[in-house]
Amino acid sequence: MANTEPAATSRTITDPGRSGGRFGRELRPWLVLLASSGIALILTHRLWRAHPRRTPTYSGDEFVYLSQIQSVSETGWWYSQPRLGAPFGQVNHDFPFGGDSLQVLLVKLIGYVTRDAALTLNLFFWLSSILIAASMFFVLRRLRFPVAIAVAAAVLYANLSYHMAHGTVHLYRSAYYAVPLACLGLLWAAGVDGGLLDSDGRFRRRRVAFVFAVAALVAVTDTTIVVFPATLFGIVGLARMGRKRWREGTLSLAVAATIPVVLVVANAPSFVYRFQNGANDVVLKRTAREQEVFGLKISKMLFPGDRHPISLLGDFGRKTVERSPIPSEFGQYIGIVAIVGLLSLIYVLMQFVSGDRASAVRSPQMEPVAGILAIVAILLAVPGGFSFVLTVLGGEEFRVWNRISVYISAFALIGSAALLDRSWQWLSSAWPTLSARILASSALIGMVALGLVDQTAMHPFPYDRAASDFNSDRVFYASLEDGLPECGAVFNLPYNWAPEVGWDRGRTYHQAVSTVHTDCLRFSYGGISGRQSGEWQRVASTLPAAVAIDAVLLAGFDGFAVERGDYAHDSPAALEELLGSQLGDSSPIISPAADLAGFDGASRLRTLETLLTDAERAAISEAILDPLVPLFGDGFDAVPIVERALFTTTGTVELANYGEERSVQVVFDNLGLDNVESLEVRNADGDLVASFNEATYGSRVSFPLRVVDDVELVVRAAPSVANRAARVAFNVVIIDDRLAPLVLLHPGSLASLDATSPRKT
């Protein structure tokens, strides 16, 4: 790092944290900050158009946060939600939120007062803007900036494009109030403003305590970006040790280590759960490729989106993403004011490195160090950057490196504040009149106004559309709850894996809000992939549709809810026709927005009670809920969930047995062959289980199997033409022999529940 030895500031300003002023004098700047940030919040969020008890976007991940807020209200914490993942309930330890514990606590406290999930979400989001401004203001005042400049920079930081773009869709990500505090800790660790040692070489206890407290804070406010401060503190520590500042370097490394330690402690219950129940290899499956996809794009950091009010800038922003193989994520634009500050930091750093240390910079330390930290953050986060080293070392879970832009923005706005302070000092000395002060104040207000428009105008919240969709769902679920037995169970169609539906599959988390709009109904959505609560639904969705519908009813469900928007053309007509005819429900409940359809299964359940014995019904329920689950391993092009499996020459399929010993029929359905003369299936010992040749090929092939424990099958394809690969695509369908009574009720029924109507892909 550049020379970061303690140096005197260019002028003396009373340290607000150590001033001898009275309470009123210290309170006034904070009142100015609160008033300014409140006015900015109203204007940038257009709160006069908001519906407090309706969410701002009602889309995307906002559904998940709404559902979690409801779960916290009902159960006390994020660990579980008994009303999702029916009939087993949803357990969230495979996708832990321990790194967001403080955010969840704030949600819980707000929810105690509101008793309304949507209002809680809104209040948390609005409060986060004030907290971010207060945090940034505190940091700037500790760095001895004047109140006016500190307020201006804090208001701009609280309304970054990042905050507006992530919004309530990424509710906890938008509440980055810990970031400015971490930046102050990084500056102190690097030696700015005297650093962590006093003039006698002793640790400044308050600052050391502050830095460790901030390390704990960042570990429990945002899981997805917790790696950023840990990495930066580690780099600062190594740099300090490289300058033989051993004590400060060791302390910085200790702070870096504190962050993951606190994160692990916060997630301790989840580690205990995984130890007791085994690891889940399906959830949180990240790849090194995602570090590239979600890397920081300098072009997106410097140019806004195509909806920017200045069309020229919008055009530049559009061109940066047109046909780009790396689209990355929204919200990276740091804003015109921060860009100027970043350039100023780089300019001062270049002067500093070239030896021109007598230049009129506000602090010989702060700006060069802030510039270095911003540049290091950029080099870490760009696609193919140094963060890739962490990825290949096992850090695939930390993929959204573009979000380090909130750290870059903080350092850049510190640079903007320093530039403004120098300009203010020059103007005061060159033109020491009241007119000059009025002009400077007006320019500062104008800069803040321009900055707010620049950063926020691209991100208007669709309040009216969101309220309309929210109201439509409320009407639908109220009608569904009235029509089904009290606290009954609803099977959600289509099956969407949880906790993540797949960001690249065009599907949504809309099913998650079912608990928000009902009092005690239970829903199948939310069963965790890789666990029995989710895998039984995946297997059921591959069964012949008519068989699956009856089996689901016998498993304890009272009706079905169809998410039309997850089907191609938003219209699963064939599926709804089958449900209506088989269930005897010719008048399903349709939401006012026509995006949901609800079916009552009571009539069909009464019919099944007359057609099947008690023993048959119990056996069917056990077979559907304790399934044999196909898991695709070596040789497959991808790891499919419901989608078609594809392998070349050899593919390994594991059949995970959630129940007891059983006999099943294994079906390779929707078979697609390329250069395949024959297929053979062997077990892990190499014994032949089944074989097929061209004469037996059709759209499906099947074979019986007796299963005691988990079974591994190796499917090999012999090529028709030598020297060219044989390729096979298929769906695996497992039909338990205990389902035979339902198969007999529906002879010739082949199309699976999932394939009855085409889904979005």
Side-chain angles (χ1 to χ4, degrees):
M1 265 196 176
N3 180 18
T4 58
E5 303 308 313
T9 55
S10 59
R11 62 191 178 92
T12 301
I13 297 177
T14 302
D15 185 337
R18 298 179 181 273
S19 69
R22 294 294 180 260
F23 176 76
R25 188 169 63 186
E26 294 183 351
L27 181 62
R28 278 196 296 272
W30 286 97
L31 293 177
V32 172
L33 179 278
L34 291 175
S36 301
S37 57
I39 292 171
L41 171 67
I42 293 170
L43 295 176
T44 58
H45 293 65
R46 304 176 190 179
L47 291 189
W48 59 90
R49 296 185 53 204
H51 306 272
R53 294 184 181 273
R54 302 292 183 263
T55 62
T57 60
Y58 205 61
S59 64
D61 289 13
E62 186 185 89
F63 294 138
V64 177
Y65 288 105
L66 262 179
S67 178
Q68 187 186 86
I69 291 170
Q70 185 68 28
S71 296
V72 171
S73 174
E74 293 179 4
T75 69
W77 206 238
W78 57 264
Y79 294 150
S80 64
Q81 170 51 286
R83 295 207 290 129
L84 291 177
F88 300 99
Q90 182 187 65
V91 179
N92 292 306
H93 287 301
D94 289 325
F95 199 86
F97 279 83
D100 303 299
S101 294
L102 183 58
Q103 316 284 38
V104 178
L105 179 61
L106 289 175
V107 160
K108 182 180 177 71
L109 294 175
I110 296 171
Y112 273 137
V113 177
T114 65
R115 302 295 180 182
D116 182 281
L119 181 58
T120 298
L121 180 143
N122 283 323
L123 290 177
F124 176 89
F125 181 55
W126 298 336
L127 176 64
S128 72
S129 180
I130 305 297
L131 290 176
I132 294 166
S135 173
M136 188 65 169
F137 180 75
F138 170 82
V139 169
L140 293 167
R141 292 294 286 149
R142 291 298 302 185
L143 294 173
R144 299 180 172 86
F145 285 102
V147 171
I149 292 176
V151 168
V155 168
L156 288 173
Y157 187 70
N159 291 279
L160 288 175
S161 176
Y162 183 98
H163 179 73
M164 302 297 290
H166 287 275
T168 52
V169 173
H170 290 157
L171 184 66
Y172 299 158
R173 316 305 159 227
S174 304
Y176 47 90
Y177 49 84
V179 172
L181 303 176
C183 290
L184 178 60
L186 286 164
L187 291 173
W188 280 348
V192 169
D193 193 26
L196 299 175
L197 299 181
D198 60 21
S199 57
D200 296 326
R202 293 174 300 187
F203 282 120
R204 298 182 176 185
R205 294 181 181 178
R206 289 186 179 181
R207 288 193 177 185
V208 171
F210 172 85
V211 172
F212 276 101
V214 167
L217 180 66
V218 297
V220 293
T221 50
D222 191 342
T223 302
T224 67
I225 68 171
V226 71
V227 69
F228 305 159
T231 304
L232 292 173
F233 271 111
I235 291 172
V236 169
L238 293 175
R240 297 297 278 172
M241 296 180 84
R243 293 190 55 80
K244 301 189 184 329
R245 310 285 295 206
W246 304 110
R247 296 174 68 201
E248 295 116 297
T250 302
L251 184 67
S252 295
L253 292 177
V255 173
T258 298
I259 295 172
V261 168
V262 174
L263 181 64
V264 169
V265 172
N267 285 300
S270 297
F271 286 109
V272 172
Y273 173 85
R274 297 188 73 177
F275 176 78
Q276 293 174 340
N277 297 276
N280 188 337
D281 296 328
V282 176
V283 170
L284 277 177
K285 257 318 203 188
R286 309 299 194 209
T287 65
R289 169 182 173 269
E290 292 181 64
Q291 189 276 339
E292 299 279 313
V293 172
F294 294 108
L296 176 73
K297 294 190 69 173
I298 296 177
S299 56
K300 296 191 78 167
M301 189 178 76
L302 300 180
F303 295 104
D306 57 5
R307 292 184 294 175
H308 195 272
I310 301 176
S311 58
L312 180 62
L313 290 178
D315 290 340
F316 279 131
R318 176 176 48 80
K319 290 175 182 178
T320 64
V321 296
E322 271 185 341
R323 302 177 184 176
S324 171
I326 304 177
S328 195
E329 199 175 34
F330 45 76
Q332 298 178 44
Y333 178 56
I334 64 175
I336 292 173
V337 176
I339 290 171
V340 172
L342 181 61
L343 295 175
S344 174
L345 291 179
I346 294 172
Y347 172 75
V348 172
L349 176 61
M350 292 173 65
Q351 287 185 315
F352 194 83
V353 172
S354 66
D356 184 12
R357 302 180 185 182
S359 301
V361 296
R362 182 180 184 280
S363 165
Q365 286 187 293
M366 182 184 63
E367 290 171 73
V369 172
I372 291 173
L373 288 169
I375 292 171
V376 168
I378 293 171
L379 293 176
L380 279 170
V382 293
F386 290 104
S387 62
F388 197 78
V389 176
L390 298 176
T391 300
V392 298
L393 290 177
E396 295 93 343
E397 287 79 8
F398 301 104
R399 55 177 180 160
V400 285
W401 279 87
N402 71 86
R403 297 181 188 176
I404 207 170
S405 62
V406 289
Y407 281 85
I408 298 168
S409 297
F411 291 126
L413 283 171
I414 289 173
S416 301
L419 182 61
L420 285 169
D421 193 27
R422 290 199 299 275
S423 302
W424 192 292
Q425 290 183 53
W426 174 83
L427 185 62
S428 298
S429 60
W431 192 8
T433 65
L434 178 61
S435 300
R437 296 186 66 179
I438 294 174
L439 177 63
S441 300
S442 301
L444 186 63
I445 294 172
M447 182 204 72
V448 173
L450 173 64
L452 290 176
V453 172
D454 169 53
Q455 295 171 185
T456 66
M458 298 175 292
H459 309 290
F461 293 108
Y463 290 118
D464 292 338
R465 191 274 303 159
S468 176
D469 291 347
F470 188 100
N471 292 335
S472 174
D473 283 3
R474 178 136 294 184
V475 170
F476 170 80
Y477 282 110
S479 300
L480 188 65
E481 189 159 37
D482 287 343
L484 295 179
E486 185 177 3
C487 300
V490 178
F491 191 81
N492 294 101
L493 291 170
Y495 161 68
N496 277 325
W497 41 297
E500 295 179 297
V501 298
W503 60 270
D504 57 346
R505 290 175 170 83
R507 300 172 196 164
T508 73
Y509 295 99
H510 191 199
Q511 293 170 340
V513 297
S514 52
T515 55
V516 176
H517 300 291
T518 55
D519 293 326
C520 68
L521 276 185
R522 295 170 292 126
F523 298 86
S524 65
Y525 173 81
I528 303 299
S529 298
R531 302 291 184 189
Q532 185 177 2
S533 62
E535 292 303 301
W536 82 267
Q537 298 180 51
R538 175 165 77 89
V539 174
S541 70
T542 66
L543 294 174
V547 173
I549 291 170
D550 283 351
V552 165
L553 291 175
L554 293 174
F557 286 82
D558 302 288
F560 296 81
V562 179
E563 181 72 39
R564 290 176 168 179
D566 280 352
Y567 290 91
H569 313 297
D570 300 328
S571 177
L575 173 63
E576 291 187 18
E577 182 180 354
L578 174 63
L579 284 169
S581 61
Q582 186 167 334
L583 298 177
D585 186 357
S586 58
S587 301
I589 300 168
I590 306 298
S591 66
D595 59 340
L596 295 168
F599 294 84
D600 187 348
S603 176
R604 179 61 182 175
L605 191 56
R606 288 192 295 269
T607 300
L608 290 174
E609 289 173 352
T610 64
L611 295 175
L612 303 172
T613 66
D614 291 346
E616 287 174 329
R617 295 199 303 274
I620 291 169
S621 175
E622 183 179 347
I624 197 73
L625 294 177
D626 294 326
L628 195 64
V629 178
L631 303 173
F632 301 94
D634 295 340
F636 286 91
D637 286 6
V639 181
I641 300 299
V642 172
E643 288 73 17
R644 206 172 181 205
L646 173 66
F647 71 88
T648 301
T649 306
T650 303
T652 301
V653 181
E654 180 186 352
L655 302 181
N657 188 3
Y658 280 95
E660 300 177 351
E661 183 177 351
R662 70 188 68 202
S663 295
V664 300
Q665 193 77 10
V666 180
V667 182
F668 293 166
D669 194 18
N670 196 16
L671 197 62
L673 306 171
D674 177 26
N675 191 39
V676 176
E677 181 178 8
S678 63
L679 277 177
E680 65 176 26
V681 182
R682 295 182 179 272
N683 61 24
D685 297 326
D687 301 327
L688 185 67
V689 175
S691 62
F692 311 95
N693 55 39
E694 290 178 301
T696 61
Y697 292 152
S699 63
R700 58 168 53 191
V701 295
S702 63
F703 56 92
L705 191 67
R706 183 71 181 171
V707 178
V708 179
D709 296 311
D710 293 353
V711 175
E712 183 176 280
L713 300 178
V714 180
V715 188
R716 292 190 176 92
S720 300
V721 178
N723 302 321
R724 189 162 73 85
R727 293 172 66 80
V728 180
F730 59 88
N731 298 103
V732 176
V733 181
I734 309 294
I735 302 179
D736 194 297
D737 284 1
R738 288 171 291 180
L739 298 179
L742 293 183
V743 175
L744 293 175
L745 286 178
H746 304 285
S749 175
L750 297 177
S752 70
L753 184 62
D754 195 58
T756 302
S757 290
R759 297 179 62 170
K760 286 183 177 177
T761 59

